[in-house]
């Protein structure tokens, strides 16, 4: 969506602007003007079909980031498939059918990096490797090579690596166990390869993800699964970004929160909703939050993800309770309704500590 300049080129242009301003060339921008023309943060979603075909968790993540004020960003990639309901920056590097091991062996990543110059890589890769019964050691060796190639392109690369969603197709009885075994190895691998300049952060996309309800084929996420994935990526990614001014900031030093409801889809007798919880403090983090939903008569919550449900109250799931000042997280739910069609608009109130 936005222009993509390599970091070295951006630095050269900035230096030329300063030189021009100092020499009094006509039309040269001032140093202050050049500083405000900084490139957006470039984020590469990297993986296979779960990321790119169509990978609608990317559209939900983009939407959450924009609403939370993280607007100076650019999703980048050599692919641009967009068939999701939400309008978003669809650039990505999600290659259907690709293996992490083959991508590393064939040195495919350096070309993609050179074409897009990302600052952050969001990687959900390895599903096809697990399906192909490739050993965890071999997949992690490929991960190591890929991270090395990222750092060769950008020594300060920030990398988010997923513990991948469950793999449990009807044609692979052993895939579920293989996925669990592989995911168990990822945190120790990440700890061993992370550096202060180029941190590698593990994002748990596996815990609480159910292939029976969150995928359409035991592998690829449906709308519920996409929402879960976006909600898991959001806190880790937003921690690497600088938000704009919050729309309704809280009083300095107070750990308050707001809750915004959005209807995702509706059908006769039910609907899917999403609630974005935002820390409204400008300085203080939250350690936990609770959202109370005032549902219309005849409406009942039947399932919640990324939160713990008690009646009509949803508490944080533990991993998403801590929110930095201005940060947001999202939980989703399914509800039944007595209405023939259409989604009611429940009132959501939030309390944080």
């Amino acid at each position: 969506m936005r222009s993509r300049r390599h970091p070295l080129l951006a630095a050269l242009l900035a230096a030329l602007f300063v030189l021009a301003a100092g020499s009094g060339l006509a039309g040269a921008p001032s140093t202050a003007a050049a500083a405000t023309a900084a490139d957006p943060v470039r984020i590469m979603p990297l993986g296979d079909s779960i990321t790119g075909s169509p990978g609608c968790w990317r559209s939900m993540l983009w939407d959450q980031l924009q609403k939370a004020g993280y607007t100076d960003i650019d999703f980048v990639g050599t692919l641009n498939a967009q068939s999701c309901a939400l309008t978003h920056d669809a650039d990505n590097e999600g290659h259907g059918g690709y293996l992490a091991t083959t991508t590393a062996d064939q040195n495919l990543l350096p070309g993609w990096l050179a074409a897009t110059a990302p600052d952050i890589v969001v990687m959900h890769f390895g599903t096809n490797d697990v399906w192909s019964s490739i050993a965890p050691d071999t997949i992690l060796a490929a991960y190591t090579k890929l991270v090395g190639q990222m750092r060769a392109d950008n020594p300060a690369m920030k990398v988010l690596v997923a513990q991948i969603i469950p793999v449990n197709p009807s044609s692979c009885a052993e895939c579920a166990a293989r996925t669990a075994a592989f995911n168990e190895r990822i945190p120790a691998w990440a700890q061993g390869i992370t550096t202060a300049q180029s941190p590698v952060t593990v994002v748990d996309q596996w815990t609480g993800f159910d292939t029976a309800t969150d995928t359409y084929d035991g592998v690829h996420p449906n709308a519920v699964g996409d929402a879960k994935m976006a909600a898991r990526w959001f806190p880790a990614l937003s921690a690497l970004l600088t938000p704009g001014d919050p729309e309704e900031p809280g009083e300095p030093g107070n750990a308050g929160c707001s809750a915004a409801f959005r209807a995702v889809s509706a059908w006769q007798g039910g609907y899917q909703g999403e609630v974005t919880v935002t820390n409204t403090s400008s300085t203080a983090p939250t350690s936990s939050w609770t959202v109370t939903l005032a549902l219309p008569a005849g409406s009942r919550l039947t399932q919640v993800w990324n939160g713990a449900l008690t009646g009509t109250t949803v508490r944080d799931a533990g991993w998403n309770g801590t929110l930095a000042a201005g940060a947001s997280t999202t939980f989703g739910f399914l509800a039944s309704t007595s209405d023939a069609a259409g989604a009611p608009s429940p009132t959501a109130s939030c309390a944080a500590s």
Side-chain angles (χ1 to χ4, degrees):
M1 277 177 71
R2 300 173 186 249
S3 63
R4 303 186 184 95
R5 286 178 281 173
H6 196 279
L8 291 177
L9 177 57
L12 178 59
L13 289 173
L16 289 174
F17 287 155
V18 172
L19 179 61
S23 61
L25 294 179
S30 67
T31 303
T36 62
D39 283 344
V41 177
R42 293 174 295 277
I43 303 165
M44 173 190 282
L46 173 64
D48 46 43
S49 58
I50 292 173
T51 295
S53 305
C56 287
W57 61 260
R58 290 182 289 106
S59 69
M60 295 180 178
L61 178 59
W62 174 266
D63 187 61
Q64 290 177 28
L65 290 167
Q66 297 296 302
K67 288 178 178 178
Y70 299 98
T71 55
D72 196 21
I73 60 174
D74 181 10
F75 279 10
V76 300
T78 61
L79 304 177
N80 188 269
Q82 183 168 356
S83 57
C84 305
L86 293 172
T87 301
H88 64 291
D89 185 346
D91 295 339
N92 72 94
E93 215 64 72
H95 296 262
Y98 278 38
L99 282 68
T101 48
T102 302
T103 300
D105 290 342
Q106 296 182 359
N107 294 313
L108 301 177
L109 182 58
W112 303 337
L113 294 168
T116 59
D119 304 297
I120 301 171
V121 172
V122 175
M123 186 171 87
H124 186 287
F125 218 171
T127 297
N128 293 307
D129 303 79
V130 170
W131 200 337
S132 301
S133 194
I134 295 175
D137 281 342
T138 305
I139 306 173
L140 292 175
Y143 274 19
T144 297
K145 183 174 181 179
L146 294 174
V147 170
Q149 292 171 337
M150 296 172 197
R151 290 171 173 168
D153 181 80
N154 179 356
M157 186 75 76
K158 309 299 187 291
V159 187
L160 303 183
V161 176
Q163 288 175 293
I164 63 174
I165 64 173
V167 183
N168 191 26
S170 59
S171 60
C172 182
E174 298 178 354
C175 276
R178 290 180 201 158
T179 310
F182 174 56
N183 279 335
E184 188 177 356
R185 298 281 303 279
I186 292 176
W189 165 84
Q191 184 177 10
I193 198 172
T194 194
T195 68
Q197 185 180 21
S198 176
V200 176
T201 303
V202 177
V203 178
D204 183 2
Q205 292 286 359
W206 184 76
T207 303
F209 199 100
D210 187 345
T211 56
T213 58
D214 303 334
T215 74
Y216 58 83
D217 59 358
V219 179
H220 299 89
N222 55 23
V224 175
D226 281 327
K228 285 188 175 184
M229 290 188 70
R232 292 290 178 92
W233 285 125
F234 179 84
L237 181 54
S238 62
L240 302 177
L241 303 172
T242 302
D245 294 330
E247 292 182 3
E248 296 180 1
E251 293 299 322
N254 294 333
C257 63
S258 64
F261 167 79
R262 181 176 72 89
V264 177
S265 60
W267 52 89
Q268 185 171 359
Y271 63 98
Q272 177 183 339
E274 176 183 274
V275 175
T276 298
V277 179
T278 302
N279 179 359
T280 55
S281 170
S282 60
T283 58
T286 66
S287 58
S288 64
W289 50 261
T290 301
V291 171
T292 301
L293 294 169
L295 301 174
S299 184
R300 181 174 64 88
L301 297 178
T302 58
Q303 182 182 351
V304 169
W305 51 95
N306 300 327
L309 175 65
T310 303
T312 58
T313 298
V314 180
R315 302 183 309 279
D316 64 83
W319 59 267
N320 58 353
T322 300
L323 298 175
S328 299
T329 189
T330 302
F331 70 85
F333 65 86
L334 298 179
S336 62
T337 176
S338 58
D339 293 346
S345 297
T347 301
S349 59
C350 185
S353 60

